[in-house]
PDB file of all heavy atoms in Angstrom:
ATOM      1  N   GLU A   1     -10.483  17.560 -55.732  1.00 66.00           N
ATOM      2  CA  GLU A   1     -10.314  16.536 -56.806  1.00 66.00           C
ATOM      3  C   GLU A   1      -8.878  16.316 -57.127  1.00 66.00           C
ATOM      4  O   GLU A   1      -8.080  17.277 -57.364  1.00 66.00           O
ATOM      5  CB  GLU A   1     -11.072  17.022 -58.072  1.00 66.00           C
ATOM      6  CG  GLU A   1     -11.192  15.895 -59.119  1.00 66.00           C
ATOM      7  CD  GLU A   1     -12.090  16.271 -60.225  1.00 66.00           C
ATOM      8  OE1 GLU A   1     -13.065  16.979 -59.964  1.00 66.00           O
ATOM      9  OE2 GLU A   1     -11.749  15.886 -61.328  1.00 66.00           O
ATOM     10  N   GLY A   2      -8.429  15.064 -57.092  1.00 61.00           N
ATOM     11  CA  GLY A   2      -7.116  14.713 -57.486  1.00 61.00           C
ATOM     12  C   GLY A   2      -6.123  14.882 -56.319  1.00 61.00           C
ATOM     13  O   GLY A   2      -4.917  14.730 -56.552  1.00 61.00           O
ATOM     14  N   GLU A   3      -6.489  15.361 -55.166  1.00 64.00           N
ATOM     15  CA  GLU A   3      -5.589  15.598 -54.055  1.00 64.00           C
ATOM     16  C   GLU A   3      -5.717  14.567 -52.958  1.00 64.00           C
ATOM     17  O   GLU A   3      -6.778  14.068 -52.719  1.00 64.00           O
ATOM     18  CB  GLU A   3      -5.908  17.014 -53.425  1.00 64.00           C
ATOM     19  CG  GLU A   3      -5.572  18.139 -54.336  1.00 64.00           C
ATOM     20  CD  GLU A   3      -4.107  18.305 -54.622  1.00 64.00           C
ATOM     21  OE1 GLU A   3      -3.271  18.148 -53.746  1.00 64.00           O
ATOM     22  OE2 GLU A   3      -3.790  18.611 -55.766  1.00 64.00           O
ATOM     23  N   ALA A   4      -4.559  14.225 -52.333  1.00 62.00           N
ATOM     24  CA  ALA A   4      -4.582  13.424 -51.193  1.00 62.00           C
ATOM     25  C   ALA A   4      -4.763  14.359 -49.980  1.00 62.00           C
ATOM     26  O   ALA A   4      -4.719  15.582 -50.123  1.00 62.00           O
ATOM     27  CB  ALA A   4      -3.281  12.645 -51.011  1.00 62.00           C
ATOM     28  N   LEU A   5      -4.896  13.788 -48.746  1.00 61.00           N
ATOM     29  CA  LEU A   5      -4.921  14.632 -47.591  1.00 61.00           C
ATOM     30  C   LEU A   5      -3.672  15.458 -47.538  1.00 61.00           C
ATOM     31  O   LEU A   5      -2.562  14.908 -47.594  1.00 61.00           O
ATOM     32  CB  LEU A   5      -5.101  13.807 -46.316  1.00 61.00           C
ATOM     33  CG  LEU A   5      -5.234  14.604 -45.007  1.00 61.00           C
ATOM     34  CD1 LEU A   5      -6.468  15.524 -45.087  1.00 61.00           C
ATOM     35  CD2 LEU A   5      -5.446  13.673 -43.849  1.00 61.00           C
ATOM     36  N   GLY A   6      -3.778  16.783 -47.479  1.00 67.00           N
ATOM     37  CA  GLY A   6      -2.622  17.658 -47.488  1.00 67.00           C
ATOM     38  C   GLY A   6      -2.040  17.823 -46.119  1.00 67.00           C
ATOM     39  O   GLY A   6      -2.584  17.521 -45.123  1.00 67.00           O
ATOM     40  N   MET A   7      -0.814  18.378 -46.127  1.00 77.00           N
ATOM     41  CA  MET A   7      -0.162  18.762 -44.872  1.00 77.00           C
ATOM     42  C   MET A   7      -1.036  19.870 -44.209  1.00 77.00           C
ATOM     43  O   MET A   7      -1.483  20.764 -44.922  1.00 77.00           O
ATOM     44  CB  MET A   7       1.227  19.316 -45.171  1.00 77.00           C
ATOM     45  CG  MET A   7       1.948  19.838 -43.973  1.00 77.00           C
ATOM     46  SD  MET A   7       3.584  20.454 -44.592  1.00 77.00           S
ATOM     47  CE  MET A   7       4.552  19.940 -43.221  1.00 77.00           C
ATOM     48  N   PRO A   8      -1.332  19.774 -42.917  1.00 83.00           N
ATOM     49  CA  PRO A   8      -2.188  20.825 -42.285  1.00 83.00           C
ATOM     50  C   PRO A   8      -1.624  22.221 -42.603  1.00 83.00           C
ATOM     51  O   PRO A   8      -0.431  22.506 -42.612  1.00 83.00           O
ATOM     52  CB  PRO A   8      -2.008  20.519 -40.815  1.00 83.00           C
ATOM     53  CG  PRO A   8      -1.797  18.993 -40.768  1.00 83.00           C
ATOM     54  CD  PRO A   8      -0.907  18.761 -41.966  1.00 83.00           C
ATOM     55  N   GLY A   9      -2.572  23.052 -42.964  1.00 86.00           N
ATOM     56  CA  GLY A   9      -2.276  24.418 -43.355  1.00 86.00           C
ATOM     57  C   GLY A   9      -2.233  24.609 -44.824  1.00 86.00           C
ATOM     58  O   GLY A   9      -2.278  25.755 -45.377  1.00 86.00           O
ATOM     59  N   THR A  10      -2.152  23.579 -45.623  1.00 83.00           N
ATOM     60  CA  THR A  10      -2.185  23.632 -47.055  1.00 83.00           C
ATOM     61  C   THR A  10      -3.493  24.240 -47.489  1.00 83.00           C
ATOM     62  O   THR A  10      -4.563  23.775 -47.092  1.00 83.00           O
ATOM     63  CB  THR A  10      -1.993  22.303 -47.739  1.00 83.00           C
ATOM     64  OG1 THR A  10      -0.762  21.687 -47.340  1.00 83.00           O
ATOM     65  CG2 THR A  10      -2.010  22.348 -49.248  1.00 83.00           C
ATOM     66  N   VAL A  11      -3.453  25.283 -48.295  1.00 83.00           N
ATOM     67  CA  VAL A  11      -4.683  25.967 -48.725  1.00 83.00           C
ATOM     68  C   VAL A  11      -4.721  25.940 -50.271  1.00 83.00           C
ATOM     69  O   VAL A  11      -3.761  26.125 -50.933  1.00 83.00           O
ATOM     70  CB  VAL A  11      -4.752  27.361 -48.167  1.00 83.00           C
ATOM     71  CG1 VAL A  11      -3.643  28.278 -48.588  1.00 83.00           C
ATOM     72  CG2 VAL A  11      -6.083  28.042 -48.393  1.00 83.00           C
ATOM     73  N   MET A  12      -5.876  25.615 -50.762  1.00 79.00           N
ATOM     74  CA  MET A  12      -6.150  25.514 -52.236  1.00 79.00           C
ATOM     75  C   MET A  12      -7.416  26.162 -52.654  1.00 79.00           C
ATOM     76  O   MET A  12      -8.321  26.339 -51.733  1.00 79.00           O
ATOM     77  CB  MET A  12      -6.208  24.050 -52.580  1.00 79.00           C
ATOM     78  CG  MET A  12      -5.001  23.229 -52.195  1.00 79.00           C
ATOM     79  SD  MET A  12      -5.213  21.438 -52.590  1.00 79.00           S
ATOM     80  CE  MET A  12      -5.356  21.583 -54.313  1.00 79.00           C
ATOM     81  N   PRO A  13      -7.545  26.503 -53.924  1.00 79.00           N
ATOM     82  CA  PRO A  13      -8.833  27.089 -54.312  1.00 79.00           C
ATOM     83  C   PRO A  13      -9.987  26.113 -54.145  1.00 79.00           C
ATOM     84  O   PRO A  13      -9.769  24.923 -54.259  1.00 79.00           O
ATOM     85  CB  PRO A  13      -8.615  27.339 -55.813  1.00 79.00           C
ATOM     86  CG  PRO A  13      -7.340  26.768 -56.190  1.00 79.00           C
ATOM     87  CD  PRO A  13      -6.645  26.328 -54.984  1.00 79.00           C
ATOM     88  N   GLY A  14     -11.143  26.610 -53.801  1.00 76.00           N
ATOM     89  CA  GLY A  14     -12.317  25.700 -53.716  1.00 76.00           C
ATOM     90  C   GLY A  14     -12.899  25.525 -55.129  1.00 76.00           C
ATOM     91  O   GLY A  14     -12.493  26.193 -56.059  1.00 76.00           O
ATOM     92  N   GLY A  15     -13.817  24.683 -55.266  1.00 70.00           N
ATOM     93  CA  GLY A  15     -14.415  24.430 -56.570  1.00 70.00           C
ATOM     94  C   GLY A  15     -15.612  25.256 -56.819  1.00 70.00           C
ATOM     95  O   GLY A  15     -16.278  25.735 -55.911  1.00 70.00           O
ATOM     96  N   SER A  16     -15.930  25.500 -58.024  1.00 70.00           N
ATOM     97  CA  SER A  16     -17.108  26.198 -58.532  1.00 70.00           C
ATOM     98  C   SER A  16     -17.795  27.164 -57.549  1.00 70.00           C
ATOM     99  O   SER A  16     -18.832  26.833 -57.059  1.00 70.00           O
ATOM    100  CB  SER A  16     -18.079  25.199 -59.099  1.00 70.00           C
ATOM    101  OG  SER A  16     -18.575  24.332 -58.100  1.00 70.00           O
ATOM    102  N   GLY A  17     -17.234  28.285 -57.415  1.00 72.00           N
ATOM    103  CA  GLY A  17     -17.822  29.347 -56.617  1.00 72.00           C
ATOM    104  C   GLY A  17     -17.715  29.217 -55.120  1.00 72.00           C
ATOM    105  O   GLY A  17     -18.300  29.964 -54.379  1.00 72.00           O
ATOM    106  N   ARG A  18     -16.992  28.259 -54.700  1.00 82.00           N
ATOM    107  CA  ARG A  18     -16.768  28.017 -53.257  1.00 82.00           C
ATOM    108  C   ARG A  18     -15.578  28.776 -52.744  1.00 82.00           C
ATOM    109  O   ARG A  18     -14.709  29.161 -53.564  1.00 82.00           O
ATOM    110  CB  ARG A  18     -16.702  26.538 -52.982  1.00 82.00           C
ATOM    111  CG  ARG A  18     -17.702  25.703 -53.696  1.00 82.00           C
ATOM    112  CD  ARG A  18     -18.796  25.144 -52.968  1.00 82.00           C
ATOM    113  NE  ARG A  18     -18.633  24.907 -51.565  1.00 82.00           N
ATOM    114  CZ  ARG A  18     -19.601  24.539 -50.761  1.00 82.00           C
ATOM    115  NH1 ARG A  18     -20.802  24.404 -51.302  1.00 82.00           N
ATOM    116  NH2 ARG A  18     -19.428  24.358 -49.486  1.00 82.00           N
ATOM    117  N   GLY A  19     -15.441  28.864 -51.460  1.00 87.00           N
ATOM    118  CA  GLY A  19     -14.286  29.480 -50.863  1.00 87.00           C
ATOM    119  C   GLY A  19     -13.045  28.494 -50.918  1.00 87.00           C
ATOM    120  O   GLY A  19     -13.206  27.359 -51.268  1.00 87.00           O
ATOM    121  N   PRO A  20     -11.878  29.046 -50.579  1.00 90.00           N
ATOM    122  CA  PRO A  20     -10.688  28.186 -50.564  1.00 90.00           C
ATOM    123  C   PRO A  20     -10.839  27.083 -49.508  1.00 90.00           C
ATOM    124  O   PRO A  20     -11.606  27.243 -48.566  1.00 90.00           O
ATOM    125  CB  PRO A  20      -9.567  29.099 -50.228  1.00 90.00           C
ATOM    126  CG  PRO A  20     -10.196  30.284 -49.632  1.00 90.00           C
ATOM    127  CD  PRO A  20     -11.574  30.402 -50.131  1.00 90.00           C
ATOM    128  N   VAL A  21     -10.157  26.004 -49.693  1.00 89.00           N
ATOM    129  CA  VAL A  21     -10.170  24.895 -48.746  1.00 89.00           C
ATOM    130  C   VAL A  21      -8.760  24.783 -48.107  1.00 89.00           C
ATOM    131  O   VAL A  21      -7.768  25.048 -48.721  1.00 89.00           O
ATOM    132  CB  VAL A  21     -10.611  23.531 -49.325  1.00 89.00           C
ATOM    133  CG1 VAL A  21     -12.082  23.642 -49.805  1.00 89.00           C
ATOM    134  CG2 VAL A  21      -9.742  23.172 -50.532  1.00 89.00           C
ATOM    135  N   VAL A  22      -8.843  24.390 -46.829  1.00 89.00           N
ATOM    136  CA  VAL A  22      -7.541  24.208 -46.067  1.00 89.00           C
ATOM    137  C   VAL A  22      -7.520  22.846 -45.429  1.00 89.00           C
ATOM    138  O   VAL A  22      -8.476  22.369 -44.914  1.00 89.00           O
ATOM    139  CB  VAL A  22      -7.355  25.363 -45.026  1.00 89.00           C
ATOM    140  CG1 VAL A  22      -8.475  25.316 -43.963  1.00 89.00           C
ATOM    141  CG2 VAL A  22      -5.996  25.279 -44.391  1.00 89.00           C
ATOM    142  N   ALA A  23      -6.316  22.215 -45.546  1.00 86.00           N
ATOM    143  CA  ALA A  23      -6.104  20.919 -44.943  1.00 86.00           C
ATOM    144  C   ALA A  23      -6.019  21.056 -43.455  1.00 86.00           C
ATOM    145  O   ALA A  23      -5.244  21.903 -42.941  1.00 86.00           O
ATOM    146  CB  ALA A  23      -4.889  20.248 -45.553  1.00 86.00           C
ATOM    147  N   VAL A  24      -6.743  20.232 -42.716  1.00 87.00           N
ATOM    148  CA  VAL A  24      -6.602  20.111 -41.289  1.00 87.00           C
ATOM    149  C   VAL A  24      -6.193  18.677 -40.955  1.00 87.00           C
ATOM    150  O   VAL A  24      -6.051  17.837 -41.818  1.00 87.00           O
ATOM    151  CB  VAL A  24      -7.931  20.536 -40.566  1.00 87.00           C
ATOM    152  CG1 VAL A  24      -8.205  22.000 -40.760  1.00 87.00           C
ATOM    153  CG2 VAL A  24      -9.082  19.691 -41.034  1.00 87.00           C
ATOM    154  N   ARG A  25      -6.020  18.406 -39.677  1.00 84.00           N
ATOM    155  CA  ARG A  25      -5.427  17.095 -39.306  1.00 84.00           C
ATOM    156  C   ARG A  25      -6.121  15.912 -39.945  1.00 84.00           C
ATOM    157  O   ARG A  25      -5.448  15.014 -40.392  1.00 84.00           O
ATOM    158  CB  ARG A  25      -5.538  16.959 -37.740  1.00 84.00           C
ATOM    159  CG  ARG A  25      -4.840  15.796 -37.251  1.00 84.00           C
ATOM    160  CD  ARG A  25      -4.743  15.733 -35.760  1.00 84.00           C
ATOM    161  NE  ARG A  25      -5.738  16.540 -35.133  1.00 84.00           N
ATOM    162  CZ  ARG A  25      -6.043  16.505 -33.834  1.00 84.00           C
ATOM    163  NH1 ARG A  25      -5.395  15.698 -33.029  1.00 84.00           N
ATOM    164  NH2 ARG A  25      -6.977  17.277 -33.378  1.00 84.00           N
ATOM    165  N   ASP A  26      -7.450  15.897 -40.015  1.00 82.00           N
ATOM    166  CA  ASP A  26      -8.104  14.743 -40.577  1.00 82.00           C
ATOM    167  C   ASP A  26      -9.090  14.978 -41.661  1.00 82.00           C
ATOM    168  O   ASP A  26     -10.110  14.306 -41.792  1.00 82.00           O
ATOM    169  CB  ASP A  26      -8.850  13.972 -39.377  1.00 82.00           C
ATOM    170  CG  ASP A  26      -9.810  14.863 -38.641  1.00 82.00           C
ATOM    171  OD1 ASP A  26      -9.896  16.064 -38.969  1.00 82.00           O
ATOM    172  OD2 ASP A  26     -10.440  14.393 -37.693  1.00 82.00           O
ATOM    173  N   GLY A  27      -8.843  16.061 -42.423  1.00 84.00           N
ATOM    174  CA  GLY A  27      -9.722  16.339 -43.572  1.00 84.00           C
ATOM    175  C   GLY A  27      -9.459  17.724 -44.123  1.00 84.00           C
ATOM    176  O   GLY A  27      -8.381  18.261 -44.020  1.00 84.00           O
ATOM    177  N   TRP A  28     -10.472  18.298 -44.717  1.00 87.00           N
ATOM    178  CA  TRP A  28     -10.407  19.655 -45.305  1.00 87.00           C
ATOM    179  C   TRP A  28     -11.553  20.481 -44.847  1.00 87.00           C
ATOM    180  O   TRP A  28     -12.678  19.970 -44.560  1.00 87.00           O
ATOM    181  CB  TRP A  28     -10.484  19.522 -46.826  1.00 87.00           C
ATOM    182  CG  TRP A  28      -9.343  18.809 -47.448  1.00 87.00           C
ATOM    183  CD1 TRP A  28      -9.194  17.482 -47.562  1.00 87.00           C
ATOM    184  CD2 TRP A  28      -8.232  19.394 -48.028  1.00 87.00           C
ATOM    185  NE1 TRP A  28      -7.984  17.213 -48.203  1.00 87.00           N
ATOM    186  CE2 TRP A  28      -7.368  18.355 -48.487  1.00 87.00           C
ATOM    187  CE3 TRP A  28      -7.812  20.733 -48.253  1.00 87.00           C
ATOM    188  CZ2 TRP A  28      -6.176  18.629 -49.149  1.00 87.00           C
ATOM    189  CZ3 TRP A  28      -6.618  20.992 -48.835  1.00 87.00           C
ATOM    190  CH2 TRP A  28      -5.811  19.928 -49.290  1.00 87.00           C
ATOM    191  N   LEU A  29     -11.337  21.800 -44.688  1.00 90.00           N
ATOM    192  CA  LEU A  29     -12.387  22.780 -44.373  1.00 90.00           C
ATOM    193  C   LEU A  29     -12.476  23.833 -45.407  1.00 90.00           C
ATOM    194  O   LEU A  29     -11.394  24.270 -45.893  1.00 90.00           O
ATOM    195  CB  LEU A  29     -12.135  23.428 -42.993  1.00 90.00           C
ATOM    196  CG  LEU A  29     -12.248  22.561 -41.748  1.00 90.00           C
ATOM    197  CD1 LEU A  29     -11.822  23.309 -40.516  1.00 90.00           C
ATOM    198  CD2 LEU A  29     -13.697  22.005 -41.586  1.00 90.00           C
ATOM    199  N   GLU A  30     -13.680  24.233 -45.758  1.00 92.00           N
ATOM    200  CA  GLU A  30     -13.858  25.386 -46.661  1.00 92.00           C
ATOM    201  C   GLU A  30     -13.901  26.639 -45.856  1.00 92.00           C
ATOM    202  O   GLU A  30     -14.665  26.733 -44.852  1.00 92.00           O
ATOM    203  CB  GLU A  30     -15.124  25.292 -47.440  1.00 92.00           C
ATOM    204  CG  GLU A  30     -15.411  26.459 -48.345  1.00 92.00           C
ATOM    205  CD  GLU A  30     -16.758  26.456 -48.929  1.00 92.00           C
ATOM    206  OE1 GLU A  30     -17.484  25.475 -48.899  1.00 92.00           O
ATOM    207  OE2 GLU A  30     -17.091  27.501 -49.528  1.00 92.00           O
ATOM    208  N   LEU A  31     -13.082  27.634 -46.201  1.00 93.00           N
ATOM    209  CA  LEU A  31     -13.158  28.905 -45.531  1.00 93.00           C
ATOM    210  C   LEU A  31     -14.296  29.694 -46.136  1.00 93.00           C
ATOM    211  O   LEU A  31     -14.367  29.789 -47.412  1.00 93.00           O
ATOM    212  CB  LEU A  31     -11.830  29.715 -45.781  1.00 93.00           C
ATOM    213  CG  LEU A  31     -10.580  29.033 -45.187  1.00 93.00           C
ATOM    214  CD1 LEU A  31      -9.388  30.002 -45.548  1.00 93.00           C
ATOM    215  CD2 LEU A  31     -10.655  28.833 -43.727  1.00 93.00           C
ATOM    216  N   GLU A  32     -15.259  30.116 -45.383  1.00 94.00           N
ATOM    217  CA  GLU A  32     -16.386  30.832 -45.845  1.00 94.00           C
ATOM    218  C   GLU A  32     -16.247  32.337 -45.655  1.00 94.00           C
ATOM    219  O   GLU A  32     -16.630  33.090 -46.582  1.00 94.00           O
ATOM    220  CB  GLU A  32     -17.672  30.309 -45.167  1.00 94.00           C
ATOM    221  CG  GLU A  32     -18.012  28.917 -45.413  1.00 94.00           C
ATOM    222  CD  GLU A  32     -19.269  28.389 -44.710  1.00 94.00           C
ATOM    223  OE1 GLU A  32     -19.431  28.755 -43.526  1.00 94.00           O
ATOM    224  OE2 GLU A  32     -20.058  27.777 -45.341  1.00 94.00           O
ATOM    225  N   GLU A  33     -15.825  32.766 -44.568  1.00 95.00           N
ATOM    226  CA  GLU A  33     -15.737  34.191 -44.274  1.00 95.00           C
ATOM    227  C   GLU A  33     -14.452  34.422 -43.420  1.00 95.00           C
ATOM    228  O   GLU A  33     -14.187  33.705 -42.491  1.00 95.00           O
ATOM    229  CB  GLU A  33     -16.917  34.726 -43.538  1.00 95.00           C
ATOM    230  CG  GLU A  33     -16.909  36.260 -43.420  1.00 95.00           C
ATOM    231  CD  GLU A  33     -18.178  36.771 -42.743  1.00 95.00           C
ATOM    232  OE1 GLU A  33     -18.540  36.311 -41.639  1.00 95.00           O
ATOM    233  OE2 GLU A  33     -18.874  37.550 -43.349  1.00 95.00           O
ATOM    234  N   VAL A  34     -13.659  35.433 -43.850  1.00 95.00           N
ATOM    235  CA  VAL A  34     -12.439  35.712 -43.133  1.00 95.00           C
ATOM    236  C   VAL A  34     -12.274  37.262 -42.933  1.00 95.00           C
ATOM    237  O   VAL A  34     -13.047  38.013 -43.491  1.00 95.00           O
ATOM    238  CB  VAL A  34     -11.165  35.194 -43.943  1.00 95.00           C
ATOM    239  CG1 VAL A  34     -11.138  33.692 -44.107  1.00 95.00           C
ATOM    240  CG2 VAL A  34     -11.042  35.912 -45.278  1.00 95.00           C
ATOM    241  N   GLN A  35     -11.336  37.609 -42.094  1.00 96.00           N
ATOM    242  CA  GLN A  35     -11.081  39.042 -41.841  1.00 96.00           C
ATOM    243  C   GLN A  35      -9.564  39.205 -41.891  1.00 96.00           C
ATOM    244  O   GLN A  35      -8.912  38.935 -40.839  1.00 96.00           O
ATOM    245  CB  GLN A  35     -11.687  39.528 -40.523  1.00 96.00           C
ATOM    246  CG  GLN A  35     -11.456  41.013 -40.336  1.00 96.00           C
ATOM    247  CD  GLN A  35     -12.192  41.525 -39.077  1.00 96.00           C
ATOM    248  OE1 GLN A  35     -12.903  40.771 -38.422  1.00 96.00           O
ATOM    249  NE2 GLN A  35     -12.030  42.795 -38.832  1.00 96.00           N
ATOM    250  N   PRO A  36      -8.953  39.703 -42.969  1.00 96.00           N
ATOM    251  CA  PRO A  36      -7.549  39.941 -42.988  1.00 96.00           C
ATOM    252  C   PRO A  36      -7.197  41.064 -42.005  1.00 96.00           C
ATOM    253  O   PRO A  36      -7.975  41.928 -41.758  1.00 96.00           O
ATOM    254  CB  PRO A  36      -7.289  40.343 -44.430  1.00 96.00           C
ATOM    255  CG  PRO A  36      -8.439  39.944 -45.186  1.00 96.00           C
ATOM    256  CD  PRO A  36      -9.625  40.002 -44.242  1.00 96.00           C
ATOM    257  N   GLU A  37      -5.938  41.034 -41.516  1.00 95.00           N
ATOM    258  CA  GLU A  37      -5.461  42.033 -40.638  1.00 95.00           C
ATOM    259  C   GLU A  37      -5.657  43.454 -41.183  1.00 95.00           C
ATOM    260  O   GLU A  37      -5.334  43.706 -42.345  1.00 95.00           O
ATOM    261  CB  GLU A  37      -3.989  41.799 -40.381  1.00 95.00           C
ATOM    262  CG  GLU A  37      -3.334  42.685 -39.365  1.00 95.00           C
ATOM    263  CD  GLU A  37      -1.870  42.357 -39.078  1.00 95.00           C
ATOM    264  OE1 GLU A  37      -1.547  41.182 -39.119  1.00 95.00           O
ATOM    265  OE2 GLU A  37      -1.132  43.261 -38.764  1.00 95.00           O
TER     266      GLU A  37
END
C-alpha cells in the first residue's frame, strides 16, 4: 500500500501476518519460508 514498483531487491514488511515482500523486475513476491546462512 502506497508504494510504487520498487527497485529490484527492495524488501519491505508484508501486511497483516504475511511475510516480507521483495520487489522483482515486474512486481512483488512475498517471502514465505527462508533459511538464513
Side-chain angles (χ1 to χ4, degrees):
E1 190 172 323
E3 292 294 322
L5 182 59
M7 175 181 219
T10 300
V11 62
M12 303 177 63
S16 62
R18 313 255 334 172
V21 294
V22 62
V24 294
R25 186 173 24 169
D26 56 358
W28 294 83
L29 291 175
E30 176 190 349
L31 300 178
E32 295 180 316
E33 188 176 56
V34 298
Q35 183 175 359
E37 185 176 328

